[in-house]
Structure formats: structure tokens, C-alpha cells
Amino acid sequence: MSTLQAMLDKHNLAGVNKPKRTPGHATKSHVVLAKEGTLSKLIRFGEQGASTAGKAKAGESDKMKAKRKSFKARHKKNINKGKMSAAYWADKVKW
């Protein structure tokens, strides 16, 4: 069995670059086995219990719009690093 397959099995993931919720983890809400080229890395991201509501919704409050905008501005540099950063996955999945 390859190391990638072992990691997928160990963390019960559907595949590489496919995030999964981790409700039983103490601090992080999601996990993903990120792979870019030959490099792969297990990344845990997202604050457990945070009230981020996923993608923008019609009729979203101004407070939530501001919260979303602040996150994207604050983490822009790390989001731009791509799939191997937790900020990229948090932006894609949670914001």
C-alpha cells in the first residue's frame, strides 16, 4: 500500500484534495490531504465551532459580508500560496 493510500485510509478521506469535516477534532473543523505535483501534505484547517456560513448567500447580513471580506483580506498572501496552505482550503471550504 502506498503512503498516500495509507494516509487516506487512516484519516478516512475520499481522495486527495477532497476536504472532510472533523467534528471530533478538538480545535480544527476540517482536514484534507493536499497534493501538488509529487508533494503531499495533511492539512487541518478551520476553527471548530466558528460561525462561518460557507459561501455568500442572498440576503446575507452586512456584518457577515464584512467578516468574510476581512478574512479574505487578512489571509490573502497565504491563500495565494495555493493548495499546500491551510488558508487556501479555509477560503475555499468555509468562506
Side-chain angles (χ1 to χ4, degrees), residues 42-74:
L42 185 74
I43 299 174
R44 292 189 183 275
F45 64 94
E47 182 184 3
Q48 194 68 271
S51 60
T52 55
K55 301 298 174 199
K57 296 185 177 36
E60 184 176 59
S61 71
D62 289 340
K63 183 179 178 183
M64 191 59 195
K65 283 180 187 170
K67 186 176 178 181
R68 184 181 312 283
K69 187 177 177 184
S70 290
F71 174 86
K72 289 180 181 280
R74 188 169 60 248

Side-chain angles (χ1 to χ4, degrees), residues 11-60:
H11 297 286
N12 202 19
L13 297 168
V16 292
N17 297 329
K18 295 193 187 276
K20 179 186 174 200
R21 258 199 58 59
T22 55
H25 194 269
T27 57
K28 299 300 177 183
S29 65
H30 289 76
V31 65
V32 65
L33 184 61
K35 185 174 192 298
E36 206 168 47
T38 59
L39 187 64
S40 62
K41 176 168 132 179
L42 185 74
I43 299 174
R44 292 189 183 275
F45 64 94
E47 182 184 3
Q48 194 68 271
S51 60
T52 55
K55 301 298 174 199
K57 296 185 177 36
E60 184 176 59

Side-chain angles (χ1 to χ4, degrees), residues 1-13:
M1 185 186 305
S2 72
T3 3
L4 265 178
Q5 190 59 47
M7 289 293 282
L8 290 172
D9 292 344
K10 179 180 178 185
H11 297 286
N12 202 19
L13 297 168

